Amino acid sequence: MSLTITCPICGKRNGYEFRYGGEDKEKRPEEDMFTSRAWCSYVHMNKSVAGTQKEWWCHKDGCGAWFAIYRDTTTNLEVSDPNEDGSKAKA
Amino acid sequence: MNRLRHLPTLRIRPEDEISIHFRGKIYKGVAGDTIATLLFANGIRIFSRSLKYHRPRGLYSLEGECSNTFMQVDGIPNVCTEKTLARSGMIVKAQNVVGSPEYDLMGFMDKLSWTMPAGFYYWLFHKPAAIWPLAIKQIRKAAGIGNLSPSFEMKGRYDENYLNADVCIIGGGPAGMCAALAASEHDLRVILLESRPWLGGFFDYRSADYTEDLALYERARALANQVEQTSSVRVFKHTSMIGAYNNNLITAFQQGTENDNFTERYIEIRAESVVVATGCIERPLLFENNEKPGVMQVACAHRLARTHGLMVGMAAVFSIGHDLGLEAAIDLHDLGLNVLCVADVRENGQESKLIAKLQERKIPILKGWVAEKAHGGKCLNGVTLTKIAETQKQKFNCDTLVASAGLTPLTGPLALAGATLAYDDHTGFFLPDKLPNKIYTAGRMLGLSDAFAIETSGELAGLRAAADCGTSLKHEIDAAEKELHALPGPVKGSQFVTATRGGKKTFVCFDEDTTLKHINQALELGFDGPELIKRFTSGGTGPGQGGIPGHNLPLYVRQLQDADNKTVKPTNVRPPLASTFLATYAGGGHVMSKHTPVHSSQVKAGGKMERIGVWYRARRFSEDKSAREEIVNVRNNVGLLDASSLGKFRIHGPDALNALQRVYVGDMSKMAPGKVKYTAMCNEDGCIIDDGVVIQDGKNDYYFTTSTNRAGKTVEWIRYHTRYDGWDFHLINLTDAFGVINLAGPNARKVLQKITDADISNDVFPFTGCQELMIESTIPVRAMRLGFVGELSYELHVSSSFMQAVWDLLKENGEEFGIMNFGLEAQNCLRMEKGHLIIGSESEQRTTLHDVGLGHLWFQQKPEAKTVGAFALKETETQKGRLKLVGIKMDDSSRTPKEGSIIVDEKIRGYVCTARYSNSVAESIGMALVEDHLSIPGTHLKIFEDNLGDQRLSATVVTMPFYDPEGKRMKI
Ligand SMILES: [Zn+2]
């Protein structure tokens, strides 16, 4: 409950205002290429990393936007994009 | 009792009398009294009996550090009466007594204490095993404090507050106030929390000098004034911090005063930075009978007099370990207390001015002496002092023993915030070793004692916290650091814990009746760490949350083990730090619901309103639960239903079609002008989640409806499933902007034609058509011909502001055609007769589009849009063993099964979704989800119901619709 999330439109807001949309699993794959098991994995399986993960959130009680953030699951704090250099720290 | 009425430090209003009920009598006090001080003023010395031994307990700390003064107030058990302000009319009862606190029939338990060594319930009662259930019964009866009546209903108003701040300061003493003022000077929003009903901390009750011409209490009140007049500082008094979480989230609760509109409120603060200035509590002195009524801490005795105007007793002995004890002895002596003697555990280090004042007053001071044993029956009548590490003793007759080993910082809030604490040899305190980011401490809890140093440390912490909010304050911080450096630093604290190692009745924890003997037993049994000993002896697990034993327990253990000071840690604390009502956490229980634009006319027409999702809707308009008259009228004449809760949306923009293709199973690119398209949405598992109609208003501009249930989720759903695509479309929720009227029945056209000039003949406006009509040449209405209830019907989408007008026009003009309102019950039966499903009623989480027979809605050739659920629809299309939706007809038409009844043979095979007696077909019919091998028409089903014994209801699977199978009536 102590989570705050930075909405790209509204800025840093109380975590209560957002809905979790799951881990980032990248773009919907081409369905034709998939076995049912692989499709099921895409839809239902999670990595559940202990550490930084990219994940989706919806600003449901705000602007309604869906966006991805990075969160350290061990501290439950939003962190900056680990792929960028640390200059753009958020939290 | 005579009050000390004219002390300038008082926090009571002696002229305002109040009274409370206790033991069948009325007890009088004054405004500002807590329940405990009011009772104390009336001579009550024993407030409760202890948990295990039923020992009498009295006022000890005034800070809620133990359960001594927990009582039942207005039916609520375990109210901390020393911190709860008394209000006239309160009904107060003692707890954990059989009889009264003075004459507790369970008092003999104290004599039996030898039968209850540490953890006795772990090692007794398990042999033989049969004794255990009996023992549980008895222990449960004896254990726990307070009783809650099962029929008790919590009264009051419980509020919640969610706040943002730049700097949050915990503790409204001198350090906290100075921190608030320092931070507020830099344009920051500051929140200050104080657990007492006033600001001032430990300055508030002291008449000692701040400067030569200003007393400490005057200084505190001046600071408090300044803080309360600073608009950027929001002060919460009578507010206890209860939790700290990462990201500097602070939780607290506030007790309301008589002038507040809440009983208690929960407060949650998100702060950029935090200053903890919670000061110190006293370290309890451990000696035999150290909790006997009459024994109390220094600040308790001092504040009773200075804050509440109550002299603690007639004759007192002091056994203390800190200068505040000397100061209190002098001050209380001057206020009229007979101070027999002051024993100070310290051999030296006392402030010389205080020693001189004691000598002036001829109060004997014994340095290096300490209380060894308190005497007396229920209350104190004497004390034996002893010289530390020697055999010399002195006995005094007294009714009060002011006892305290020294000070100890209130570290709970810091520990919750994630600070690590380490024992400091100089102060004897647990000091923060490592502070988390953006958290600072100030004041007495750092070991400071000088008033100026305390204030300056507060200022410094306030500046540092302000700097975290983006202000550059390097210069100010440097200056404050320099200033603090020049002032007296942390004072040497008392290292002392206890003089004796024995102590059958030397209590480390009052709440749980844990004695030194129990700790010795635990150590002997091999429990070597304070956390383990805490669990085994339960010392520190009570409502006081480690206030009394929190630091003493680990220090005593260390003393016995001769362990390294560096490794000793206070025992863990957990939120809530102060006891809080569950009602406070629950908050107001706000009921949030919506009314349709014609709500009041539904109520006026006798509608039985029910909450459906967020809406209030009419179930029926008569006492008849089957709503038969309404049903018959729709079939024969015409009816009117308020369907405003339907979800209504517009989607437009270059990629609007792509978005619709993504979420709807149908092909949305093929839409005939002037026609509606019925379609459905599935989730990724191919399970049906919504159905509705879509209308194309223009190129890439669509209007669509969703079920009531999905209205709130649709925007989120569509945006979620297009989140990677970067598509350009606008999605507008029009649910509240438009109302919907369903005008249904063979006379529907006649009614509508009376109020519009448009040609609405079947040729021009046929079934599944859609038109914009003008009502009375004024009101534009979007009309669709749909057939949910199976009759000629018009679904009219009307701007909310015109809803009532259109509704009234239809009612008025429909009178000659027998128009009547119908509600959800009628609609449910009518649509069931048509075999039309309601999602969530005839489907569940695992029901696919195929299972409900709507597989034909799925358009398989949509490669680009990648329809949500399409992959699973492919997979499940021919899957065996699924539950399928079927129509059922009861063999006995007079027997309608209950909804949810299970369909069985030797196993459960499905269940009944909806069932009604249908007047239209004169049968009991319904819809059920059954295993696919039972879904063939003609199959006999057995339905289980309660109270039927071995009997089963029997039904037959039939094809749907039950009514008007060719669907002629909705197309006329
Ligand atoms: Zn937003």
Side-chain angles (χ1 to χ4, degrees):
Chain A
M1 72 177 181
S2 56
L3 182 65
T4 54
I5 291 171
T6 309
C7 169
I9 296 165
C10 313
K12 184 172 158 182
R13 306 282 306 167
N14 196 322
Y16 295 135
E17 293 176 10
F18 298 84
R19 176 161 9 252
Y20 184 54
E23 291 176 9
D24 180 63
K25 298 177 182 176
E26 299 183 352
K27 226 167 143 51
R28 291 173 76 82
E30 292 302 328
E31 290 162 23
D32 301 345
M33 315 288 288
F34 264 73
T35 61
S36 42
R37 177 170 292 274
W39 178 254
C40 203
S41 296
Y42 172 74
V43 173
H44 293 295
M45 299 304 275
N46 291 299
K47 291 198 185 99
S48 303
V49 296
T52 301
Q53 78 172 18
K54 188 181 182 186
E55 59 191 24
W56 286 88
W57 288 87
C58 176
H59 197 187
K60 66 177 168 72
D61 296 342
C63 64
W66 278 102
F67 54 91
I69 62 158
Y70 292 89
R71 182 175 61 100
D72 185 338
T73 59
T74 61
T75 59
N76 198 26
L77 291 177
E78 188 182 356
V79 295
S80 57
D81 182 350
N83 305 313
E84 289 174 24
D85 60 291
S87 58
K88 212 186 96 189
K90 272 176 179 170
Chain B
M1 178 183 259
N2 287 331
R3 294 263 181 178
L4 305 160
R5 282 177 169 259
H6 301 294
L7 300 180
T9 48
L10 289 183
R11 289 292 184 177
I12 50 166
R13 297 193 306 276
E15 64 283 4
D16 277 357
E17 239 186 36
I18 57 174
S19 58
I20 63 173
H21 302 269
F22 180 56
R23 297 193 306 203
K25 278 196 278 185
I26 287 177
Y27 287 76
K28 287 200 159 68
V30 297
D33 266 332
T34 65
I35 298 165
T37 62
L38 187 151
L39 292 174
F40 191 87
N42 286 281
I44 304 287
R45 292 296 175 269
I46 302 171
F47 290 79
S48 69
R49 290 283 176 145
S50 69
L51 179 70
K52 263 158 68 182
Y53 303 148
H54 286 256
R55 286 171 66 93
R57 293 283 161 82
L59 268 189
Y60 183 77
S61 82
L62 272 191
E63 298 283 1
E65 286 159 33
C66 56
S67 57
N68 281 14
T69 58
F70 278 24
M71 299 174 103
Q72 182 178 316
V73 179
D74 293 339
I76 304 169
N78 297 326
V79 173
C80 183
T81 59
E82 63 193 51
K83 291 188 80 182
T84 307
L85 291 175
R87 284 184 202 176
S88 274
M90 275 177 164
I91 297 167
V92 178
K93 285 186 177 143
Q95 301 186 153
N96 212 35
V97 293
V98 179
S100 72
E102 280 86 356
Y103 302 100
D104 177 15
L105 297 179
M106 294 288 277
F108 67 88
M109 294 292 278
D110 193 23
K111 303 269 185 319
L112 295 179
S113 65
W114 57 273
T115 65
M116 289 178 267
F120 69 96
Y121 34 83
Y122 296 129
W123 57 9
L124 297 178
F125 308 131
H126 66 277
K127 264 186 218 164
I131 200 174
W132 182 231
L134 285 169
I136 290 179
K137 243 186 181 169
Q138 288 311 311
I139 291 172
R140 289 214 173 128
K141 215 189 276 174
I145 48 172
N147 285 306
L148 189 62
S149 156
S151 61
F152 176 73
E153 214 172 284
M154 195 76 174
K155 293 200 179 65
R157 189 169 178 276
Y158 298 88
D159 204 358
E160 45 203 313
N161 231 336
Y162 296 85
L163 305 165
N164 288 294
D166 294 307
V167 180
C168 177
I169 294 158
I170 301 156
M177 290 194 285
C178 288
L181 290 171
S184 72
E185 269 169 35
H186 301 282
D187 241 7
L188 299 172
R189 294 166 304 164
V190 179
I191 286 177
L192 178 62
L193 307 179
E194 167 55 46
S195 68
R196 292 198 187 121
W198 53 80
L199 296 174
F202 88 129
F203 280 11
D204 182 75
Y205 60 92
R206 294 166 64 202
S207 59
D209 288 346
Y210 173 73
T211 59
E212 259 175 45
D213 14 83
L214 198 68
L216 286 169
Y217 76 88
E218 291 171 310
R219 169 63 180 167
R221 285 167 202 210
L223 270 177
N225 265 336
Q226 205 184 333
V227 168
E228 296 194 80
Q229 279 164 23
T230 306
S231 59
S232 56
V233 181
R234 187 162 176 195
V235 179
F236 288 89
K237 290 181 277 194
H238 227 181
T239 303
S240 297
M241 183 259 209
I242 48 179
Y245 304 86
N246 64 10
N247 245 350
N248 281 343
L249 180 81
I250 304 294
T251 57
F253 77 94
Q254 182 171 27
Q255 288 177 261
T257 66
E258 258 157 318
N259 300 321
D260 287 313
N261 61 356
F262 57 86
T263 313
E264 265 192 18
R265 71 174 165 191
Y266 172 76
I267 302 173
E268 202 173 294
I269 301 154
R270 286 181 186 279
E272 191 61 32
S273 51
V274 172
V275 175
V276 180
T278 43
C280 289
I281 54 174
E282 282 168 65
R283 182 172 297 165
L285 188 65
L286 305 181
F287 55 93
E288 192 71 357
N289 300 328
N290 57 329
E291 36 62 275
K292 194 173 278 297
V295 179
M296 63 175 67
Q297 294 189 321
V298 173
C300 180
H302 207 174
R303 285 183 54 216
L304 266 181
R306 281 279 170 187
T307 305
H308 297 281
L310 294 167
M311 188 45 80
V312 62
M314 306 296 291
V317 169
F318 280 62
S319 175
I320 48 87
H322 190 273
D323 281 352
L324 285 175
L326 303 180
E327 184 186 312
I330 294 159
D331 196 31
L332 291 174
H333 167 273
D334 294 352
L335 293 174
L337 181 67
N338 180 11
V339 179
L340 300 173
C341 168
V342 176
D344 191 332
V345 297
R346 299 170 296 175
E347 289 284 358
N348 50 49
Q350 296 88 348
E351 162 136 23
S352 53
K353 272 189 212 157
L354 293 170
I355 297 289
K357 282 187 178 174
L358 283 167
Q359 285 164 348
E360 264 170 46
R361 287 161 179 79
K362 305 211 164 37
I363 300 171
I365 170 149
L366 300 168
K367 294 181 188 172
W369 282 67
V370 67
E372 186 193 61
K373 183 169 185 177
H375 306 283
K378 287 180 182 121
C379 288
L380 184 83
N381 64 16
V383 55
T384 301
L385 300 179
T386 175
K387 191 158 169 61
I388 295 168
E390 286 180 35
T391 51
Q392 242 173 302
K393 288 181 207 283
Q394 280 195 50
K395 195 178 167 200
F396 294 86
N397 293 326
C398 57
D399 61 0
T400 304
L401 172 59
V402 179
S404 161
L407 296 176
T408 205
L410 200 54
T411 51
L414 267 186
L416 287 186
T420 53
L421 300 165
Y423 187 76
D424 176 65
D425 282 323
H426 176 66
T427 51
F429 280 14
F430 289 104
L431 292 180
D433 184 27
K434 235 179 92 200
L435 282 170
N437 258 346
K438 301 188 179 181
I439 291 186
Y440 303 93
T441 55
R444 274 212 295 171
M445 61 189 315
L446 297 173
L448 298 172
S449 157
D450 177 78
F452 292 97
I454 287 167
E455 290 186 4
T456 308
S457 80
E459 185 192 338
L460 178 60
L463 288 169
R464 283 183 174 146
D468 281 339
C469 305
T471 324
S472 172
L473 295 168
K474 195 179 173 319
H475 183 73
E476 288 89 336
I477 290 171
D478 285 350
E481 270 174 353
K482 217 182 240 171
E483 195 185 330
L484 182 60
H485 202 70
L487 290 163
V491 291
K492 187 161 169 49
S494 153
Q495 310 283 319
F496 181 83
V497 180
T498 174
T500 56
R501 289 200 168 196
K504 242 164 62 187
K505 296 289 163 60
T506 302
F507 289 87
V508 178
C509 176
F510 298 177
D511 296 349
E512 301 288 334
D513 272 350
T514 308
T515 63
L516 288 188
K517 193 177 147 201
H518 292 144
I519 292 176
N520 296 342
Q521 284 168 343
L523 278 162
E524 277 161 27
L525 286 167
F527 295 97
D528 56 352
E531 284 295 334
L532 285 174
I533 293 167
K534 172 177 167 181
R535 293 304 178 290
F536 188 66
T537 63
S538 64
T541 60
Q545 267 286 326
I548 300 255
H551 292 178
N552 264 353
L553 184 123
L555 290 174
Y556 178 69
V557 171
R558 179 206 58 173
Q559 185 184 313
L560 290 187
Q561 292 175 324
D562 288 324
D564 180 9
N565 281 348
K566 289 279 167 285
T567 59
V568 60
K569 298 250 181 295
T571 52
N572 286 334
V573 290
R574 286 177 185 81
L577 279 183
S579 24
T580 318
F581 295 143
L582 285 175
T584 307
Y585 277 111
H590 310 289
V591 179
M592 304 224 275
S593 59
K594 296 209 268 190
H595 286 180
T596 74
V598 292
H599 178 85
S600 54
S601 68
Q602 304 292 297
V603 175
K604 235 180 266 167
K608 308 277 177 254
M609 307 307 284
E610 271 178 23
R611 178 89 188 260
I612 313 275
V614 293
W615 296 93
Y616 274 97
R617 301 191 64 190
R619 168 65 56 191
R620 52 197 157 82
F621 292 87
S622 68
E623 295 304 322
D624 172 18
K625 285 190 172 163
S626 70
R628 189 172 148 188
E629 201 190 351
E630 293 166 35
I631 293 168
V632 169
N633 195 58
V634 171
R635 291 275 179 251
N636 296 333
N637 299 314
V638 59
L640 203 55
L641 173 86
D642 175 19
S644 298
S645 64
L646 266 185
K648 297 167 281 289
F649 297 88
R650 181 186 177 198
I651 184 168
H652 64 112
D655 293 309
L657 176 59
N658 285 333
L660 291 181
Q661 291 282 50
R662 170 64 51 79
V663 294
Y664 276 121
V665 295
D667 182 5
M668 311 314 293
S669 67
K670 298 213 173 62
M671 304 264 300
K675 284 275 186 186
V676 301
K677 184 183 180 80
Y678 174 69
T679 184
M681 287 191 208
C682 289
N683 64 16
E684 291 287 15
D685 297 325
C687 296
I688 184 164
I689 57 165
D690 193 23
D691 65 345
V693 297
V694 186
I695 295 160
Q696 184 165 11
D697 280 339
K699 190 172 166 9
N700 271 318
D701 192 352
Y702 301 85
Y703 180 83
F704 63 96
T705 66
T706 72
S707 56
T708 298
N709 220 331
R710 289 291 298 178
K713 300 167 190 148
T714 297
V715 169
E716 203 179 302
W717 181 262
I718 294 178
R719 290 209 173 118
Y720 180 77
H721 285 288
T722 56
R723 69 197 187 282
Y724 287 106
D725 300 282
W727 284 341
D728 186 4
F729 62 85
H730 292 280
L731 191 48
I732 305 152
N733 188 340
L734 298 170
T735 302
D736 297 343
F738 289 91
V740 174
I741 299 168
N742 188 8
L743 179 70
N747 293 338
R749 185 179 293 117
K750 291 182 206 152
V751 178
L752 186 60
Q753 191 67 79
K754 279 185 77 182
I755 56 169
T756 183
D757 298 331
D759 183 354
I760 55 169
S761 65
N762 199 36
D763 294 338
V764 176
F765 190 3
F767 182 63
T768 71
C770 172
Q771 271 197 22
E772 184 156 310
L773 307 176
M774 290 305 273
I775 301 291
E776 299 284 20
S777 316
T778 317
I779 306 171
V781 158
R782 188 196 288 271
M784 305 171 195
R785 275 199 57 187
L786 302 174
F788 194 47
V789 298
E791 300 293 340
L792 166 67
S793 66
Y794 297 89
E795 191 171 291
L796 306 175
H797 292 229
V798 186
S799 173
S800 288
S801 50
F802 286 124
M803 263 296 276
Q804 192 65 57
V806 173
W807 181 274
D808 292 342
L809 279 169
L810 289 168
K811 279 299 276 278
E812 208 180 299
N813 288 281
E815 210 169 323
E816 59 179 293
F817 305 107
I819 202 164
M820 258 175 73
N821 289 0
F822 68 104
L824 290 176
E825 178 53 35
Q827 178 187 245
N828 195 33
C829 184
L830 290 161
R831 64 92 198 177
M832 182 200 68
E833 292 170 349
K834 285 297 295 176
H836 289 153
L837 77 151
I838 290 179
I839 288 158
S841 179
E842 277 73 48
S843 69
E844 45 158 272
Q845 285 221 306
R846 54 190 172 157
T847 309
T848 68
L849 193 68
H850 304 300
D851 296 340
V852 293
L854 292 177
H856 60 273
L857 295 177
W858 174 39
F859 178 70
Q860 307 198 23
Q861 287 82 44
K862 278 200 291 181
E864 274 155 41
K866 295 175 194 164
T867 308
V868 176
F871 193 92
L873 285 173
K874 217 176 296 168
E875 292 288 307
T876 56
E877 191 172 13
T878 54
Q879 199 178 26
K880 292 272 168 277
R882 305 193 59 83
L883 294 181
K884 297 284 174 187
L885 187 66
V886 296
I888 56 168
K889 193 175 84 182
M890 300 306 293
D891 294 353
D892 173 1
S893 69
S894 70
R895 191 64 174 81
T896 313
K898 287 187 196 126
E899 289 179 1
S901 296
I902 48 177
I903 293 162
V904 296
D905 44 29
E906 74 281 4
K907 277 174 73 184
I908 296 172
R909 298 295 182 188
Y911 62 93
V912 177
C913 302
T914 305
R916 292 284 186 281
Y917 176 77
S918 162
N919 201 59
S920 313
V921 298
E923 298 276 6
S924 268
I925 52 171
M927 292 156 98
L929 279 163
V930 295
E931 285 183 16
D932 49 5
H933 69 275
L934 297 175
S935 64
I936 302 126
T939 308
H940 292 286
L941 302 176
K942 293 285 171 207
I943 299 169
F944 171 91
E945 263 191 14
D946 294 342
N947 312 322
L948 284 184
D950 291 337
Q951 301 283 302
R952 302 283 175 262
L953 301 176
S954 50
T956 309
V957 176
V958 293
T959 50
M960 291 192 285
F962 305 97
Y963 173 77
D964 183 25
E966 289 92 47
K968 284 180 185 154
R969 296 183 62 90
M970 50 195 187
K971 293 175 185 160
I972 56 171

